[in-house]
Amino acid sequence: VVLGVILAWSHVGRDGPNTTEAVIRSGVGRDLIQGLTRGRQGLVGSLRWAPLPTLLALPLLHTPGIRTGTFGLCVIAAVGAACICVFLTRWWAQYGMREEIRVPIAFALFLTPPMLKPIFEGGSETVFAFLVIAALAHLIHWWETEELRSLAYTATCAALASLVRYQAILLP
């Protein structure tokens, strides 16, 4: 997470990216913090922007130094990318992959352009990808072991993914 935040800070600066998603989500978040009706309407009424990334960014909108910009969404994207790498590392370990192999692969995955682009743009793609990967991994684990816990994790991750991107409704 720290590596992603440092890279984003050096790439976009303290104010954060000027992308459509980052500007809209941070604006809705600031309206929510101020208690405005349009913030609540923007959170639950948008057909394009699902609410979970905006809610995750709310605590970061109170952080001194970045509260006026969109940098908080870069932090959320970095957390999502780190979650992908940690989850895949643990999943590969479960199937017997050695640490000397899986850790460099995870760092290389974190530094790829498809992972860095959402971090620099403050997008929700990494959080969505983490939830979809986790849902599919737990589905595979349930298929292999028939443990109900894995099926419950699959359902939870799929439900949360639909709160990040509405396209996740097509996942089941």
Side-chain angles (χ1 to χ4, degrees):
V1 174
V2 172
L3 176 63
V5 170
I6 290 171
L7 289 173
W9 189 275
S10 66
H11 190 265
V12 297
R14 183 180 88 163
D15 291 333
N18 197 17
T19 60
T20 304
E21 181 177 2
V23 170
I24 289 173
R25 288 191 188 279
S26 65
V28 168
R30 280 193 297 280
D31 289 345
L32 280 171
I33 290 171
Q34 294 173 358
L36 300 176
T37 303
R38 68 178 179 206
R40 291 188 300 275
Q41 289 173 344
L43 182 69
V44 297
S46 175
L47 296 176
R48 174 134 169 84
W49 308 108
L52 188 60
T54 305
L55 292 174
L56 291 174
L58 280 180
L60 298 172
L61 294 175
H62 276 302
T63 305
I66 63 171
R67 85 172 47 161
T68 59
T70 58
F71 189 76
L73 291 154
C74 294
V75 174
I76 298 301
V79 169
C83 286
I84 290 172
C85 294
V86 169
F87 182 83
L88 288 176
T89 301
R90 298 306 313 146
W91 192 42
W92 293 331
Q94 183 180 7
Y95 287 97
M97 185 183 282
R98 293 185 328 192
E99 186 175 4
E100 300 85 27
I101 296 171
R102 68 177 188 260
V103 171
I105 291 173
F107 273 110
L109 176 66
F110 187 84
L111 296 174
T112 60
M115 291 288 253
L116 291 177
K117 183 180 179 225
I119 294 172
F120 295 158
E121 293 180 352
S124 59
E125 291 91 352
T126 57
V127 177
F128 179 69
F130 164 65
L131 291 169
V132 169
I133 289 169
L136 293 176
H138 287 296
L139 182 65
I140 290 169
H141 188 261
W142 171 75
W143 190 274
E144 293 174 347
T145 63
E146 295 184 3
E147 288 183 16
L148 287 179
R149 178 182 295 164
S150 295
L151 191 59
Y153 286 148
T154 300
T156 302
C157 291
L160 288 173
S162 68
L163 292 175
V164 175
R165 294 277 172 128
Y166 291 131
Q167 292 89 345
I169 294 171
L170 301 174
L171 189 64

